[in-house]
Amino acid sequence: MTRRVNGSSEVSAGTDSGALVGALLETVPDPLWILGPDAAITHGNAAFLRICEKVLRTKIIFPIDVETLLPDPRHARARAWWNDLAARALSGRNVMADARIVLEGAEHLYTISMSPAAAGAVCIARDVTEGGRENLRPGERENLFELAVTRLFDVEKPLDTTLRDILAFLCEADDWDCAVVWLREDEQLLPSTVWSRDSIDAGKFRERIGELRFPRGHGIPGRAWAADEVIWLPDLFDESNSARAESAARAGLHGTAAMPLRDGARIIGVLELLTRAVRPMSEQRKRALERASNALGRHIERRRLHELIERKGLEWARTFDAIELPIFITRLDGQIARVNRAARDLAGVSDYPDVLGRELSSFGEEEPWLTLGTIVEAVRDSGTPCTAQIADARDRRYDVNATVFRSATDEDERVIVVLRDTTDIVRLQESVRRGEQLAALGELVAGVAHQVRNPIFGMALTLDALESTVGQDAELQEQAGIMRQWLDRLNRLMESLLEYGKTWTLDLRAGTVDEVLQQTIDGCRPLAQQAEVTLDVDVEPGLTLLLDANRLTHAFENLILNAVQHSDAGQRVFIRARRDGDQIECSVRDEGPGFNASDLPRIFEPFFTRRRGGTGLGLSIVQRIVDEHGGTIDARNAGQRGALVKVRFPRFDADAVRQ
């Protein structure tokens, strides 16, 4: 431990290594101190202690942390600045910063350099204020600037902001009052960044700079570009064709130096420095400026390239996310390397990092994840593209294509999996196919029904005549009654067949579902009351769609009466309608026995029925009417008891149509 006692530096006795450290510290004339691994100051030389005592007016006892060194709440920003530098140095990075310190009423500019060392960091401060700066050894000024440029470019800031910080550092360190970075664009120099001291009125000069463009060989910046060397003009007014003479005069700027900014052998722009003083340009200063501009040019081009890569990467990511097809890019081991927004939506994950590194099968034990995991393995093992068709639990249909992307190195091989939602296409195909089948079947049954109706009518007349001749014979009257029941059933079947095979011309108009349902419920309520079944209605008002009221009423009537017929006395039939995004969902649910699981795939087929005396055409007619309205219909069992039929229609937005 080192302790400050009566103005001298003392190292804890009994340690030869400690004495050696203390001796080495005192050989350095500049303030020097050592940071421990916890960022506390463990050693400091006499120059460091003198500054601390003058600024803080207290004696220093090592080790000491920055909170103890700067306890005043007004020093919060200084502590944060110090901790940031220390953290960088202790992480193994060379750090450089500048600080202004008031000593005995005079402001001093110090350049602080921190270098990582074993289990800590070595820090040194160099006074670079006027007078102190002249003590720098040859070449040291350029090294300080190189380190400062490296440090400033290491900070994640936009290029323009970083350039302002660098120009401020350079001008403060070498007594310049204004600086301009000109960057090449095609065959012209365009102003990129301008910095000036607060003490000068450079507003008009800045405006003029923003208007200028210098071709190669024109103006001071253009001459530096063409000559590929430092151009020094002691006074701007000596050049009669200066495009900035008037505005520079208002700002009080006279001397200017322009030097090429290089990235290797290529000139990417020009750095121009201006001063209010009229002073000569020494060869030493000229070499220093050349080195400074070369360092700055290299860093500018690297940052521009980095920002270009980031910008292109962002553009690619946005384009990738804009693709509506879900796309998964996986490694050969199945772990996800990249996904687009549609894929994240499919997986139900909003945060991008939560997807990376996971396997496709980890998102669920059902489709599409099971097939996606299998198809990646198939592509990896076979090395050839694979395709699949998937239907998930919500009956969404997907065409899947998976292929291996081969790059120059095996390590970069990826499997690209693309899903295409074909639900609407499949439904449309099924609807068209079903419509063609129904049309053909409808034409057939309508013809048959028409031909059979006449014999049925004749049989009914004959039965009436027989009943009038047999008189009051009870046995014959009973048999005639049975025959009449069968004739009535045949007649109802023929009416259903004619209804099924009838060619309809839809009259679609904007209307509300609640009006159609209310009309239907009013018609069905007497039969429901007769069966002692309660109709439980919850319909959202104002649900507008394009509809044919008569056809849609017929469809809802079939659904409600079908539910009533499968309900026992005292049970309820639930009728619901609500808005679901851009769709309108209507449902009818009963508390009856529900559907047989084996019957569900066939319940919309014509003539399929399990109900005694039923025609098997009710749900087929409903499906046809729903198709005519551009909707979909789905039937399933409702939980533990009952059947549920859902119908969905596209919502009609009159305002959108008018626009």
Side-chain angles (χ1 to χ4, degrees), residues 38-108:
D38 58 353
I41 303 173
T42 61
H43 299 80
N45 65 0
F48 173 75
L49 292 170
R50 281 195 299 272
I51 290 180
C52 289
E53 288 184 358
K54 288 180 180 179
V55 174
L56 304 175
R57 302 183 184 279
T58 184
K59 294 187 180 297
I60 303 300
I61 299 178
F62 297 117
I64 185 171
D65 56 30
V66 68
E67 283 73 18
T68 305
L69 191 65
L70 301 171
D72 195 313
R74 293 174 297 178
H75 296 151
R77 292 182 62 184
R79 289 196 300 269
W81 173 81
W82 177 278
N83 287 330
D84 177 65
L85 294 181
R88 292 171 180 269
L90 293 174
S91 67
R93 298 163 64 181
N94 290 304
V95 180
M96 192 169 189
D98 54 289
R100 295 182 179 278
I101 300 175
V102 178
L103 298 175
E104 298 176 344
E107 185 179 71
H108 289 251

Side-chain angles (χ1 to χ4, degrees), residues 179-311:
V180 184
V181 171
W182 302 85
L183 295 180
R184 281 183 58 181
E185 186 171 316
D186 297 328
E187 291 304 312
Q188 284 187 320
L189 291 174
L190 277 64
S192 169
T193 307
V194 182
W195 180 90
S196 62
R197 292 184 186 275
D198 295 335
S199 58
I200 65 173
D201 182 12
K204 293 295 184 182
F205 183 72
R206 285 170 171 267
E207 291 179 9
R208 185 61 180 138
I209 289 292
E211 299 170 353
L212 294 177
R213 304 290 185 269
F214 286 114
R216 181 184 177 93
H218 293 264
I220 298 171
R223 287 167 52 193
W225 174 16
D228 192 10
E229 63 179 9
V230 176
I231 299 297
W232 168 246
L233 194 65
D235 197 333
L236 274 170
F237 302 104
D238 291 344
E239 187 179 38
S240 58
N241 63 346
S242 173
R244 303 164 290 170
E246 183 179 349
S247 56
R250 291 180 180 177
L253 298 171
H254 293 279
T256 180
M259 59 230 67
L261 293 170
R262 291 179 161 279
D263 178 34
R266 189 167 66 96
I267 296 177
I268 66 166
V270 170
L271 169 64
E272 187 177 20
L273 302 172
L274 302 103
T275 176
R276 288 176 287 187
V278 179
R279 63 185 185 184
M281 172 68 70
S282 66
E283 286 299 319
Q284 181 180 357
R285 183 181 296 274
K286 183 177 179 180
R287 288 194 300 271
L289 291 176
E290 286 176 341
R291 291 189 58 182
S293 63
N294 288 337
L296 183 57
R298 290 194 301 271
H299 284 284
I300 288 175
E301 193 60 18
R302 289 171 189 168
R303 172 59 67 82
R304 291 171 71 184
L305 180 60
H306 178 70
E307 290 184 351
L308 176 62
I309 293 173
E310 285 187 337
R311 187 167 60 253

Side-chain angles (χ1 to χ4, degrees), residues 2 4 7-10 22 25-33 43-54 62:
T2 304
R4 175 69 173 168
S8 62
S9 179
E10 182 183 280
L25 292 178
E26 296 305 332
T27 62
V28 179
D30 295 317
L32 187 148
W33 63 100
H43 299 80
N45 65 0
F48 173 75
L49 292 170
R50 281 195 299 272
I51 290 180
C52 289
E53 288 184 358
K54 288 180 180 179
F62 297 117

Side-chain angles (χ1 to χ4, degrees), residues 474-659:
E475 183 178 354
L476 291 176
Q477 286 286 350
E478 181 181 357
Q479 292 178 357
I482 294 173
M483 292 179 64
R484 191 171 296 282
Q485 289 178 1
W486 283 107
L487 285 173
D488 288 342
R489 184 175 175 183
L490 282 173
N491 193 52
R492 290 196 304 272
L493 176 60
M494 291 306 102
E495 289 178 354
S496 296
L497 288 174
L498 288 171
E499 174 71 21
Y500 183 75
K502 192 175 186 179
T503 301
W504 285 88
T505 300
L506 289 180
D507 183 15
L508 295 177
R509 299 182 181 181
T512 59
V513 173
D514 50 310
E515 292 178 352
V516 173
L517 278 174
Q518 189 58 53
Q519 180 180 348
T520 306
I521 292 167
D522 291 342
C524 295
R525 199 177 298 277
L527 292 176
Q529 291 174 347
Q530 183 179 351
E532 299 181 11
V533 174
T534 302
L535 300 183
D536 188 319
V537 182
D538 183 8
V539 177
E540 181 181 335
L543 300 176
T544 305
L545 57 87
L546 288 176
L547 55 86
D548 184 316
N550 292 330
R551 292 286 283 166
L552 205 56
T553 299
H554 190 187
F556 284 136
E557 182 181 83
N558 280 355
L559 291 177
I560 295 172
L561 291 180
N562 192 58
V564 169
Q565 290 166 357
H566 286 86
S567 300
D568 295 332
Q571 292 183 337
R572 293 181 297 173
V573 171
F574 301 89
I575 304 164
R576 302 285 185 264
R578 63 183 180 85
R579 176 177 175 176
D580 184 14
D582 60 351
Q583 298 279 308
I584 295 174
E585 181 179 279
C586 306
S587 64
V588 177
R589 178 172 68 87
D590 60 55
E591 296 178 318
F595 298 107
N596 291 329
S598 58
D599 292 344
L600 281 172
R602 301 185 58 196
I603 59 176
F604 294 111
E605 292 181 4
F607 309 112
F608 178 80
T609 182
R610 297 291 187 187
R611 184 170 62 86
R612 186 174 182 180
T615 65
L617 291 173
L619 289 178
S620 296
I621 293 173
V622 172
Q623 185 182 49
R624 181 174 178 180
I625 295 172
V626 171
D627 284 346
E628 291 169 349
H629 286 76
T632 60
I633 186 169
D634 173 61
R636 65 185 67 179
N637 286 318
Q640 297 180 348
R641 186 173 183 178
L644 171 65
V645 179
K646 285 186 178 181
V647 180
R648 294 174 65 86
F649 299 102
R651 189 175 62 87
F652 176 70
D653 189 344
D655 293 336
V657 172
R658 281 194 293 268
Q659 292 176 0

Side-chain angles (χ1 to χ4, degrees), residues 293-471:
S293 63
N294 288 337
L296 183 57
R298 290 194 301 271
H299 284 284
I300 288 175
E301 193 60 18
R302 289 171 189 168
R303 172 59 67 82
R304 291 171 71 184
L305 180 60
H306 178 70
E307 290 184 351
L308 176 62
I309 293 173
E310 285 187 337
R311 187 167 60 253
K312 293 298 182 183
L314 182 60
E315 291 175 359
W316 181 89
R318 288 175 176 171
T319 303
F320 189 47
D321 275 347
I323 300 175
E324 295 182 356
L325 304 179
I327 301 176
F328 296 88
I329 301 178
T330 74
R331 301 182 180 88
L332 292 184
D333 59 5
Q335 292 186 346
I336 295 174
R338 188 175 293 276
V339 293
N340 66 348
R341 184 177 299 279
R344 296 198 299 273
D345 291 342
L346 181 65
V349 179
S350 57
D351 294 333
Y352 190 84
D354 293 342
V355 183
L356 301 183
R358 294 178 59 177
E359 295 185 358
L360 289 170
S361 57
S362 69
F363 291 102
E365 298 179 354
E366 66 283 341
E367 296 294 357
W369 310 113
L370 292 178
T371 300
L372 292 182
T374 303
I375 201 171
V376 169
E377 295 177 359
V379 171
R380 178 195 63 198
D381 295 340
S382 66
T384 59
C386 293
T387 61
Q389 292 182 331
I390 304 174
D392 64 13
R394 298 176 301 168
D395 200 31
R396 303 294 300 180
R397 309 294 181 86
Y398 299 95
D399 282 348
V400 183
N401 291 275
T403 185
V404 174
F405 172 76
R406 300 186 183 278
S407 63
T409 60
D410 292 340
E411 291 78 12
D412 290 331
E413 284 189 333
R414 297 286 187 265
V415 177
I416 301 177
V417 182
V418 182
L419 286 82
R420 181 167 173 258
D421 190 336
T422 59
T423 305
D424 294 338
I425 295 176
V426 170
R427 287 175 178 170
L428 179 61
Q429 291 173 341
E430 291 177 349
S431 177
V432 171
R433 183 169 58 252
R434 186 168 55 248
E436 292 174 347
Q437 293 174 346
L438 292 178
L441 183 60
E443 185 177 350
L444 173 64
V445 298
V448 171
H450 184 73
Q451 294 298 322
V452 172
R453 238 180 139 182
N454 289 332
I456 291 176
F457 181 70
M459 292 170 65
L461 291 176
T462 302
L463 185 59
D464 290 339
L466 287 174
E467 282 183 324
S468 64
T469 59
V470 298

